[in-house]
Amino acid sequence: MARLDHALQEIAHMSRAEIQERWAKLTGRPVPRLSVAMLRLALGYEIQARAKGGLSRTTRQQLGGSGDVPPRAMPLAPGLRLVREWQGKVHVVTVDDAGAIHWNGQCWKSLSEVARTITGTRWSGPAFFGLKPRKAAA
């Protein structure tokens, strides 16, 4: 904790060039085009995030989904019926009038939860059921 406090106090006395150098070394990313005051705050955040962990995924989504967090999916339309064949078996998912997802005689929280249960691996439900376009192979 004392190391973290010391590192944060050092930032207050750094020149722009020193802050930029520290940023590049710490993050490996280009230095943002910000005022010195904002660079100090950004560097301070990065140091703290590495020492104590960054924001949770949920918090990042609530703050607007910037950067590495994809936007939330649109709600599914009532009456929607999705059909997907997986390993020779046909799976049908329906959305009721309240927006609840039904598959295999049960109500599910999300399409991703259904897709994971069907495949046994982590899948994006919208991708598994063809609601998201596939990314082109590199």
Side-chain angles (χ1 to χ4, degrees):
M1 188 64 133
R3 258 176 76 186
L4 176 59
D5 289 340
H6 179 72
L8 295 174
Q9 289 172 0
E10 280 183 327
I11 296 171
H13 306 289
M14 289 181 174
S15 68
R16 175 183 279 278
E18 290 170 325
I19 293 171
Q20 291 173 328
E21 181 181 322
R22 181 81 184 272
W23 175 273
K25 189 189 305 185
L26 182 67
T27 67
R29 298 188 315 256
V31 179
R33 298 181 76 188
L34 300 171
S35 68
V36 173
M38 290 301 293
L39 279 173
R40 281 191 175 98
L41 290 173
L43 181 58
Y45 171 81
E46 288 293 329
I47 290 170
Q48 290 178 80
R50 281 164 171 52
K52 296 183 174 261
L55 299 174
S56 69
R57 180 175 187 219
T58 302
T59 301
R60 289 192 316 265
Q61 286 175 332
Q62 289 172 345
L63 290 173
S66 64
D68 59 340
V69 179
R72 296 192 70 125
M74 299 264 306
L76 299 173
L80 181 68
R81 184 176 173 194
L82 301 167
V83 180
R84 169 70 195 259
E85 185 270 336
W86 180 258
Q87 295 184 345
K89 185 174 179 189
V90 175
H91 299 275
V92 179
V93 172
T94 57
V95 180
D96 68 18
D97 290 338
I101 298 166
H102 297 272
W103 171 74
N104 209 21
Q106 294 181 324
C107 189
W108 299 81
K109 294 179 185 176
S110 70
L111 283 178
S112 294
E113 193 176 48
V114 174
R116 286 181 200 125
T117 303
I118 291 169
T119 65
T121 60
R122 292 193 56 86
W123 264 85
S124 159
F128 179 78
F129 287 99
L131 299 177
K132 273 171 62 173
R134 291 182 181 211
K135 293 181 180 178

